[in-house]
Amino acid sequence: MFFQWNHCPNAKASGFLEQHARLHVKCLAHDFEVEVISEDCDYREVCDRFEPDLALFEAGYRTHGSTRPRITGTDAHPGIPKIALHNGDPWCDRRAGLLADMDGWGIETVFAIGTATPGYTPSLAGRCFVWPNFIDPAVFRDYGLEKVVPVTLTGQVYGLYPWRQAVHELLTERYVCLVTPPFRYEDAAARRMLAGGAYARALNASWLSPSCGTMGHELVRKHLEIPGAGCLLVTERIPVLEAAGFLDGVNCVFADPPKLVDKVDALLAEPDRMREIIAAGHALVHARHTLAHRPQIRQWFDLSRNLKDGARIVQEDVFGPLRVATAEEGMVGLRLPTTGLDRAALRRAEQCLARGRVDEARAAFEAALDYVAYLPEARFGLARCDLAQGRVTAALARLSALIATTLKDYGAARPDPVEWAYYLAALLAAGHREAAIGLRSAYPELDHAELRLMRAALDRLADRPVGPWSVAARPATSLHALPARTPEMHSAWLVAIQSLNGQPPSGGRRGTRLHLRWQGLAALDRALRRLPGGVIRPRVPPAPGFGYLAELRDAVGRWLLPPLVRRRLRALAAQAAEITRNGPRIRRSRS
């Protein structure tokens, strides 16, 4: 049973993305009988109806016009194994939502389409397996078309694709090229994108097409679609492509930008040699990378049913089979290195922060954002730099924006625990003592070592401590891995950031206008929490920087709109019937 997002609710979602969503179902159907659920539902009722052997939940998707189904009652039927599918980039800012979903649904295991995902989210170590991209061989095949296009260039060209940026200009200045517009996936215009059979035929009529693994050195679909359609793949040398079986000059061409033109000139001068490489690339993809070669989810299901105590399921090769490892084998896992350019920038930033070189850390975090403007680790890192440099207003803005992405844009039930702990600390550093104290009891089910330290500090400041806080059997998973701190180290840090931002260690004055406003929002939120189903309670917390009242207005609008629309439609239908009976003399209202 596949709980998949609704990827075709309106004209905003591109046909390209819809095709890939359908392809996931087609691949699963190779190994399972698949029932797809894409609407709001009750898990217990659906399981009672279909009696599934396995429940798969799509999560962490970055919207693009698709809608996320609301699934309730996921604690029912504990005997049915549940796994998540991260259908998103390894660096996606919806990963915090993925982690929240997994915690809320009681899911331990996740499969990711990104080969770099395990390295990008270390908190999932040992629980994340890769279900790599693949092609449908019925679409991406050799159509036998004449090669009439020297070079075909498709896809977006910006900071996420540094190699593609470098070669795009080199190729378009020197060769006849078929160049498609760089459509954004979430734009309605993306429906004009070459996709499916039309895209495959364009590739089949082309001699070569370049693609890169993004700044994250990831296996993307183009790496497989280009050779799968009988076109020469020109790309950069990265570990995942070598793991996939690609060899320079044998079944593809690896080229650094400075040497690209010379390599392409030599290839175009030898069409027979090009045909040999094209044929070898086509054979590789159709022998190893079609939907028939992605049984990892079925392998996990079969292995998990007979797993003995102490044993675990491991994946050592992103394209190879899963197997059972015993406790005696020690640490066994993916051998693929994490070589993403953004990860290198983040490592430099963390090293600088640890040594107190905050300006250098800031520059490195900003360098990571040059690749992906919404990269959550870099945005969180800049908030930490802000706190360390007395820029608490900027820190609050960054942290509230991060949390709103998870709660509002994605729709998760809780924020990232480390981001929430730092938001409370930033409130304290900004002098919003009462707001920080009041919000310490928000998300009471959320447990994390960093959040425990922050709550304990706020308990000490409060007139009526709420603690001691209970410790969950399994603390919530965070996107951010920080060095462990003792309570004394945490207290010293809080004093330091308050002092840097001009606040006394007590956390600021009480009785301010902001405090009174926050008290009103908190009282309103408590009242809305008591309403059945929480249908009009905003997803964001009643705290500074989240636009709580605006969110409440929108929630009320969504709740009231359907009845109003139904009443208006009934009125229009009655008016139309009156016109039919009495002719056009009836004056229609302006609305």
Side-chain angles (χ1 to χ4, degrees), residues 19 138-140 143 194-203:
Q19 287 181 8
V139 176
F140 290 92
Y143 289 86
L194 270 180
Y199 172 48
R201 285 179 172 84
L203 290 173

Side-chain angles (χ1 to χ4, degrees), residues 181-231:
F183 294 115
R184 286 165 53 89
Y185 297 150
E186 56 268 35
D187 292 344
R191 288 189 167 271
R192 302 174 194 149
M193 183 187 299
L194 270 180
Y199 172 48
R201 285 179 172 84
L203 290 173
N204 192 234
S206 305
W207 279 105
L208 64 90
S209 184
S211 182
C212 74
T214 75
M215 57 83 207
H217 296 165
E218 168 73 11
L219 177 85
V220 301
R221 294 180 180 94
K222 282 184 172 62
H223 284 138
L224 306 177
E225 292 166 344
I226 292 168
C231 181

